[in-house]
Amino acid sequence: MVNMEDKSDNNEASEKTENKASKRRHTSESQMEVDTINGIEGKVKTKSSAKRVKNVQGNEVRKVPVPAHRYTPLKDNWMKIFTPVVEHLQLQIRFNLKTRNVELRTAPETPDIANLQKGADFVKAFIYGFEVEDALALLRLDDLFVESFEVNDVKQVLKGDHLSRAVGRLAGKGGRTKFTIENVTKTRIVLADTKIHILGSFQNIQLARRSICNLILGSPPSKVYGQLRNMAGRLANRF
């Protein structure tokens, strides 16, 4: 009887250690390491998941409308956009001259349906006004987003010259304020009239948005610089 109990205890102990080892293996596979591309911080999966996604059945399509003022930049940078979408994501892409849309479509060789959304986000980021090199980070890093809002979403009473001054405070002299926020928070910011677009990871977008909102609400740039300096110190200590 004693021997049987000892054997069962040993079996239970071995099962527990195997379960712990498999959990540890699973968490290590899903771990993501932080990487920075072109000054934009994001996360990259250290190992590809064991499951391979099946090829897409049928043709899925995404359409990205292009406003008139982005036709010329799109034409000038078309090959820079076309190459990563076709070679890296293995999608089909074209610019429809009638509807003025960039159309992306899955192909039989597309390895993952998620590539279609990645490609659409990449094109959208360029249409919003980001440089192609910055928008490419959306393809290479996993947890990047583009957040858009308007100055009037933060403070609705701003009109006329007051609105213009708020936008001027965001840019700063020679773009200094915008560049400072970008470098400290490791994001990219586009000021398009009264619209603001921020590209970065979720946490970094929050930090940049807080600084931008403070400037819109009337905080002097010197105070925002001080907050950014403290923020940079905390981020450095965290890593």
Side-chain angles (χ1 to χ4, degrees):
M1 288 294 290
V2 175
N3 291 336
M4 292 290 288
E5 288 176 1
D6 289 344
K7 284 180 181 178
S8 63
D9 289 343
N10 289 337
N11 289 336
E12 286 178 5
S14 64
E15 283 177 5
K16 284 181 182 177
T17 53
E18 282 176 6
N19 288 336
K20 283 182 181 177
S22 64
K23 281 182 183 177
R24 205 176 297 121
R25 204 179 305 120
H26 180 69
T27 52
S28 67
E29 282 178 1
S30 59
Q31 272 180 350
M32 301 178 84
E33 61 182 18
V34 177
D35 194 10
T36 304
I37 292 177
N38 206 29
I40 304 169
E41 187 182 74
K43 291 179 181 177
V44 184
K45 286 181 183 175
T46 51
K47 293 182 181 178
S48 60
S49 58
K51 286 195 294 183
R52 178 170 175 79
V53 183
K54 292 181 180 177
N55 281 7
V56 184
Q57 298 295 324
N59 287 329
E60 290 281 332
V61 180
R62 291 284 187 282
K63 295 180 181 180
V64 182
V66 182
H69 69 280
R70 296 299 291 170
Y71 293 159
T72 305
L74 182 68
K75 186 179 176 183
D76 293 342
N77 294 280
W78 180 250
M79 285 311 297
K80 291 182 183 177
I81 296 168
F82 177 89
T83 306
V85 169
V86 173
E87 293 183 1
H88 180 62
L89 299 179
Q90 296 181 340
L91 298 170
Q92 296 175 353
I93 183 173
R94 72 171 183 177
F95 180 58
N96 191 325
L97 290 167
K98 286 184 180 179
T99 60
R100 301 288 188 178
N101 288 338
V102 174
E103 297 177 357
L104 296 102
R105 189 173 67 180
T106 55
E109 61 271 11
T110 305
D112 189 352
I113 187 66
N115 285 5
L116 184 61
Q117 189 58 46
K118 271 190 176 183
D121 290 341
F122 165 60
V123 175
K124 270 184 193 172
F126 177 77
I127 298 302
Y128 284 152
F130 294 100
E131 296 291 331
V132 179
E133 291 75 17
D134 296 334
L136 274 171
L138 284 164
L139 304 183
R140 295 175 182 166
L141 301 174
D142 279 329
D143 70 332
L144 292 190
F145 308 93
V146 176
E147 181 166 330
S148 303
F149 60 95
E150 292 201 29
V151 174
N152 285 326
D153 294 339
V154 181
K155 195 173 184 181
Q156 294 180 356
V157 296
L158 289 175
K159 291 177 184 177
D161 290 343
H162 297 292
L163 183 60
S164 302
R165 277 194 289 272
V167 176
R169 276 200 303 276
L170 295 180
K173 188 177 180 180
R176 179 188 164 199
T177 305
K178 182 173 85 84
F179 293 144
T180 305
I181 295 172
E182 285 180 339
N183 292 335
V184 172
T185 59
K186 293 183 180 175
T187 56
R188 284 291 175 269
I189 299 167
V190 166
L191 302 176
D193 196 16
T194 60
K195 285 186 180 176
I196 300 153
H197 308 290
I198 310 173
L199 166 65
S201 65
F202 179 76
Q203 191 172 13
N204 291 344
I205 285 175
Q206 280 187 317
L207 299 176
R209 189 179 59 209
R210 193 175 303 145
S211 299
I212 289 169
C213 290
N214 287 340
L215 286 167
I216 292 170
L217 292 169
S219 292
S222 57
K223 186 177 180 181
V224 175
Y225 287 152
Q227 291 169 347
L228 285 171
R229 205 175 296 118
N230 295 336
M231 205 184 293
R234 284 201 300 272
L235 288 172
N237 291 333
R238 192 179 69 186
F239 292 117

